[in-house]
Amino acid sequence: MQPLLSQACWDTLYMVGWSTLIAVVGGLPLGVLLVLTDRGGLLQNVVTNKVIGQIVNVARSMPFIILMVALMNFTRWITGTTIGREAAIVPLAIGAIPFFARLVETAVREVDGGLVEAVQSMGGNTWTVVRKVLVPESLPSLISSTTTTIVALIGYSAMAGTVGAGGLGDIAIRYGYQRFETELMWITVAILAVVISVIQFAGDYAARSLHRRGGRSGPVPKLRLLKAATATGKTG
């Protein structure tokens, strides 16, 4: 069973890796936009904020198994099939984008408003504030949010195995449950637990390291602000 488990592990990491990348690329700007368009934001637009917020809420509230079924036609249009690891990436990514966007929104809202006002007073535009203040200052929290998203996606990928997506979830269902090989099912559970523990440890370590080097509450926010203002002056 070792080759089977090795391939299943690779399939799971493949699905989760690509889904996480797409979720970060799609969810980061969406979460920042939710903050910028909110009341008192730099791009205040209540209507836009409410529309985006409702879309995110509806997408987050949908159970993943239902989302997979609802997106079958779209998945087939994108990948040409609804079975396999490539097909599973589509619902995994779409389900993770709103999840990650809300985590990004929470992280960005915690940034000190005084830093934003200081950069604005020095002539920084919205893009400068986002690039020099909001994202760098919230980076430790963003790393933690990414870790949380990866852990959630591992669970989703195991669920996707029930519909032929492959990976460890598929092994647990086809061999552990349907063929009554209980030992194999518990082996897959143990592998998933180890993978999640390693990812959580790595994410926590990265977040703590960034925080110590000068995250949102680190020792050198004024120095980073000065650098941001200097760069703004040079590019402004």
Side-chain angles (χ1 to χ4, degrees), residues 172-189:
I173 293 296
R174 286 197 295 121
Y175 292 88
Y177 177 72
Q178 295 177 349
R179 301 186 184 183
F180 302 103
E181 297 184 21
T182 308
E183 182 180 353
L184 182 59
M185 183 174 66
W186 284 112
I187 290 174
T188 59
V189 171

Side-chain angles (χ1 to χ4, degrees), residues 50-150:
K50 293 296 183 183
V51 170
I52 297 175
Q54 285 301 319
I55 293 174
V56 169
N57 290 339
V58 170
R60 285 184 61 202
S61 65
M62 186 175 297
F64 181 69
I65 191 70
I66 296 176
L67 182 65
M68 284 194 300
V69 175
L71 291 175
M72 277 188 174
N73 289 335
F74 181 70
T75 300
R76 185 181 292 109
W77 179 70
I78 294 292
T79 65
T81 182
T82 58
I83 299 175
R85 62 185 190 180
E86 281 77 17
I89 291 172
V90 176
L92 283 171
I94 292 177
I97 287 174
F99 178 81
F100 184 68
R102 283 300 187 191
L103 295 178
V104 171
E105 180 188 11
T106 301
V108 172
R109 285 190 188 280
E110 294 177 359
V111 174
D112 186 1
L115 297 177
V116 175
E117 294 175 0
V119 173
Q120 282 184 300
S121 67
M122 296 175 185
N125 56 25
T126 300
W127 170 242
T128 301
V129 171
V130 171
R131 188 165 55 94
K132 296 291 186 178
V133 179
L134 296 183
V135 173
E137 288 296 313
S138 61
L139 194 55
S141 294
L142 292 178
I143 295 296
S144 298
S145 299
T146 303
T147 304
T148 301
T149 302
I150 293 174

Side-chain angles (χ1 to χ4, degrees), residues 8-9 11-17 19 64 68 85 88-89 91-92 149-171 173 192 195-196:
C9 288
D11 288 343
T12 296
L13 294 175
Y14 180 88
M15 289 186 290
V16 172
S19 301
F64 181 69
M68 284 194 300
R85 62 185 190 180
I89 291 172
L92 283 171
T149 302
I150 293 174
V151 171
L153 281 171
I154 291 175
Y156 290 165
S157 70
M159 194 182 306
T162 63
V163 293
L168 291 169
D170 181 51
I171 296 298
I173 293 296
L192 286 171
V195 171
I196 289 174

